[in-house]
Amino acid sequence: MKPTFYITTPIYYVNDVPHIGHAYTTIACDALARYHRMKGKKVFFLTGTDEHGEKVQKTAVQQGVSPRELADRVVTRFQGLSAALNVTNDDFIRTTEPRHYASVTELFRRSQQNGDIYLGEYEGWYCTPCESYWTDLQIADGKCPDCGRTVERRKEPSFFFRLSKYQKPLLDYYGRNPSFIRPESRRNEVAAFVAGGLNDLSVSRTSLSWGIPIPGHPGHVIYVWYDALTNYITGVGYPGGGERFDTFWPADIHMVGKDILRFHAVFWPAFLMSAGIAPPMGVFAHGWWTVEGQKMSKSLGNVVDPYEMVEVYGADAFRYFLLREVPFGQDGDFSRKGLVHRINSDLANDFGNLLNRTLGMLGKYFGGTVPLSSPSGGEDQALIALSRDVADAVDRAMEAVEFHKALSSIWDLVKAANRYVDVSAPWTLAKDPAKRDRLGAVLYNLLEAARICVLLSAPFVPAASQKMWEALGCEGAVAAANLSAAGAWGGLRSGVTLPKSAVAFPRIEE
Ligand code: MSP
């Protein structure tokens, strides 16, 4: 097992406050970071904000403040997401920090030095909202192929990066690293794009002042994507030559939305190759959320505010819903009804109830003291075997970044444990004093199955799992437990006294 794991979110533009899309990527990264920590790895988890560029400058002008003032104000909303959503990022990078200026300048200098950057003039059809130039071929009837808005003709002196030179190295890299771009369908898309030929890329602007200046070339600032992508190495200490960079680079996963995959899977590895730095090991593109069947937009007024979700439903429920509802990688639809349904059926009924009813029976029949473990019957062995299979399935799913599968496997165990209650009928065993040992074994097995479910679900529902962990008499933070050691059957301690109930997932009125 590789002992380290470095995962990143995209850095978010500060021209707008966080919405469900930002929360989604961040939560997905957090679940992975937590999972890999519980596997015993040294994890570095980076998120942050993208503060330069035309979009931010424009919004600042509209609001009558400087771009820096805008950034300083909005960044707190993104930083606050970590506490609200129970997200465990190790650092938060802002592209306006001095450490990032040093990093971008150095990366650029290295490419300049080996001849991959040259001065030219750029002319093209420019879409301001998308910050993209398009060629004649790409614009159908004068509209941006990405957003459909009108483009304008624009020309300016610009530094270019020799992206064309990296066509073959990129295709080779994809070929050697079949899991570099995931999901697989996206990989084919990107590879086809690269195979179609790459134009050199304009990497500086003179039409813009809000950016990182290029030393020795007054008037030029670094193009926003070159600036933004570089955050991933700044965050681990580039170019300081420190230990963190050596430990964590190349990143294991850059998590991104499907709209920005190309920047990460084509431009970014090429910039790095040019500077003699190893490309990242993986880029994963997730899908987009619509809201109640409609595209999310300010004008429709249907933007989902993650802070409100946490306030009304709780961070655990929101996290669970986002990662359970939709196969990761595909688009999905967010609805309050769907969220409430998942909370009541999966969390409160299935999982919460399993623990709560077992604690109730333990209180009633054993005064709350955990009995000895003595599995005997076939149904006991089946439950134990299932718990092992589920732990393996969760691991495979998490390695494949398939959260929905990991969660549905955990729920296989939750549901099997609930069935085990019905089949073993502790209330009947309790009537016969000769069956007291059997009753004890049944309750032990139930609590132990619950403990394993709690452990496996900890990366997804961190607060509730901690509460359940404590209710099961387990010590320390569940987040700090080691999955393989703690996940072995029989880890629950006998003889400890547990509470008679624990409500980890309250029901919500429909
Ligand atoms: N600043 C760039 C990223 C630079 S990374 C080096 C950027 N920022 S963003 O704030 O506009 O978007 C951040 C992320 O939010 C993207 O990954 C995007 O896919 C995601 N989402 C925006 N709307 C979304 C949905 N409706 N649903 C899911 N994710 C969405 O792009």
Side-chain angles (χ1 to χ4, degrees):
M1 180 176 86
K2 180 174 171 285
T4 61
F5 184 73
Y6 177 26
I7 183 159
T8 65
T9 74
I11 47 171
Y12 305 118
Y13 286 127
V14 288
N15 62 333
D16 206 356
V17 295
H19 57 59
I20 187 175
H22 307 115
Y24 186 44
T25 325
T26 299
I27 288 170
C29 289
D30 187 58
L32 276 180
R34 287 173 175 273
Y35 187 78
H36 285 277
R37 282 192 203 106
M38 289 178 77
K39 279 183 91 167
K41 294 187 191 178
K42 213 166 153 178
V43 169
F44 197 75
F45 168 18
L46 182 71
T47 186
T49 40
D50 191 353
E51 305 190 352
H52 293 126
E54 190 133 19
K55 274 189 200 197
V56 176
Q57 192 172 32
K58 263 194 165 172
T59 309
V61 169
Q62 278 161 14
Q63 300 191 6
V65 294
S66 72
R68 197 172 288 273
E69 281 165 338
L70 176 70
D72 286 346
R73 188 168 73 214
V74 178
V75 71
T76 59
R77 305 280 293 164
F78 282 98
Q79 287 166 330
L81 268 192
S82 298
L85 297 170
N86 223 335
V87 162
T88 57
N89 52 297
D90 296 288
D91 199 352
F92 188 102
I93 173 123
R94 302 181 59 182
T95 54
T96 46
E97 290 170 322
R99 60 171 169 162
H100 186 61
Y101 276 56
S103 170
V104 170
T105 309
E106 174 61 11
L107 190 73
F108 194 83
R109 191 191 64 79
R110 286 173 75 152
S111 282
Q112 236 174 346
Q113 205 171 39
N114 76 10
D116 278 344
I117 283 176
Y118 62 90
L119 191 60
E121 187 170 64
Y122 196 81
E123 181 172 5
W125 297 102
Y126 191 70
C127 174
T128 307
C130 297
E131 288 175 359
S132 298
Y133 273 104
W134 302 104
T135 61
D136 289 337
L137 275 180
Q138 287 169 314
I139 50 154
D141 52 32
K143 302 278 195 271
C144 167
D146 263 4
C147 71
R149 282 174 278 208
T150 314
V151 292
E152 60 192 20
R153 196 73 188 156
R154 205 149 115 170
K155 196 174 176 178
E156 63 183 65
S158 169
F159 281 102
F160 282 80
F161 175 79
R162 279 186 215 284
L163 188 62
S164 54
K165 177 176 148 188
Y166 289 92
Q167 180 187 25
K168 187 162 182 308
L170 284 169
L171 291 172
D172 288 348
Y173 189 71
Y174 305 158
R176 280 198 312 278
N177 302 280
S179 63
F180 171 60
I181 300 168
R182 289 185 288 176
E184 203 181 325
S185 55
R186 301 269 172 214
R187 175 167 78 101
N188 301 335
E189 222 174 85
V190 172
F193 169 77
V194 174
L198 294 173
N199 294 322
D200 288 350
L201 185 72
S202 156
V203 288
S204 78
R205 293 283 182 269
T206 48
S207 52
L208 184 74
S209 56
W210 182 230
I212 300 179
I214 299 178
H217 297 277
H220 284 267
V221 299
I222 304 261
Y223 165 59
V224 71
W225 274 100
Y226 192 98
D227 169 346
L229 290 161
T230 306
N231 92 85
Y232 301 130
I233 52 175
T234 312
V236 285
Y238 184 80
E243 186 197 325
R244 183 175 285 173
F245 186 84
D246 296 338
T247 305
F248 291 109
W249 193 261
D252 292 78
I253 299 182
H254 293 316
M255 187 71 80
V256 299
K258 61 182 182 181
D259 55 318
I260 58 173
L261 172 62
R262 198 175 282 180
F263 298 99
H264 286 79
V266 182
F267 297 0
W268 179 228
F271 296 161
L272 289 165
M273 286 173 183
S274 162
I277 301 172
M281 289 187 287
V283 180
F284 195 104
H286 65 66
W288 270 47
W289 289 94
T290 51
V291 175
E292 315 277 352
Q294 281 182 305
K295 202 176 156 174
M296 186 169 69
S297 81
K298 271 195 184 160
S299 49
L300 285 174
N302 64 349
V303 176
V304 177
D305 171 7
Y307 287 102
E308 190 216 328
M309 290 298 120
V310 169
E311 212 175 286
V312 179
Y313 305 104
D316 284 332
F318 186 51
R319 291 169 62 111
Y320 174 79
F321 177 82
L322 293 183
L323 298 182
R324 175 66 187 88
E325 185 72 0
V326 174
F328 201 65
Q330 293 177 26
D331 293 339
D333 184 51
F334 176 86
S335 73
R336 288 188 189 247
K337 204 169 152 216
L339 172 58
V340 170
H341 179 73
R342 288 260 175 220
I343 293 174
N344 288 342
S345 97
D346 301 8
L347 297 178
N349 270 2
D350 293 347
F351 196 10
N353 226 4
L354 168 66
L355 179 68
N356 208 31
R357 76 205 278 218
T358 309
L359 288 176
M361 290 187 285
L362 185 75
K364 192 162 162 197
Y365 305 136
F366 289 89
T369 303
V370 180
L372 287 174
S373 140
S374 52
S376 55
E379 67 267 27
D380 300 0
Q381 296 310 329
L383 191 66
I384 296 170
L386 182 69
S387 84
R388 268 188 221 116
D389 292 347
V390 164
D392 289 345
V394 169
D395 191 54
R396 279 195 303 275
M398 292 304 271
E399 291 296 337
V401 198
E402 294 177 323
F403 303 109
H404 59 293
K405 281 195 186 164
L407 285 167
S408 105
S409 291
I410 299 169
W411 259 253
D412 287 344
L413 185 57
V414 169
K415 287 177 187 156
N418 277 322
R419 277 195 305 273
Y420 178 90
V421 179
D422 300 334
V423 170
S424 338
W427 44 89
T428 311
L429 297 173
K431 287 184 191 139
D432 184 350
K435 296 197 170 136
R436 183 137 179 99
D437 283 355
R438 180 61 194 149
L439 176 62
V442 165
L443 290 185
Y444 183 91
N445 292 339
L446 278 170
L447 292 166
E448 179 58 347
R451 189 187 67 91
I452 290 175
C453 292
V454 167
L455 194 65
L456 292 172
S457 64
F460 302 95
V461 288
S465 64
Q466 181 60 29
K467 196 167 175 187
M468 294 166 104
W469 188 246
E470 286 164 18
L472 286 164
C474 303
E475 279 164 4
V478 64
N482 183 293
L483 272 174
S484 58
W489 187 272
L492 183 76
R493 289 180 304 151
S494 301
V496 276
T497 302
L498 307 186
K500 297 195 171 45
S501 71
V503 180
F505 301 107
R507 283 186 69 83
I508 305 245
E509 286 306 316
E510 305 245 1

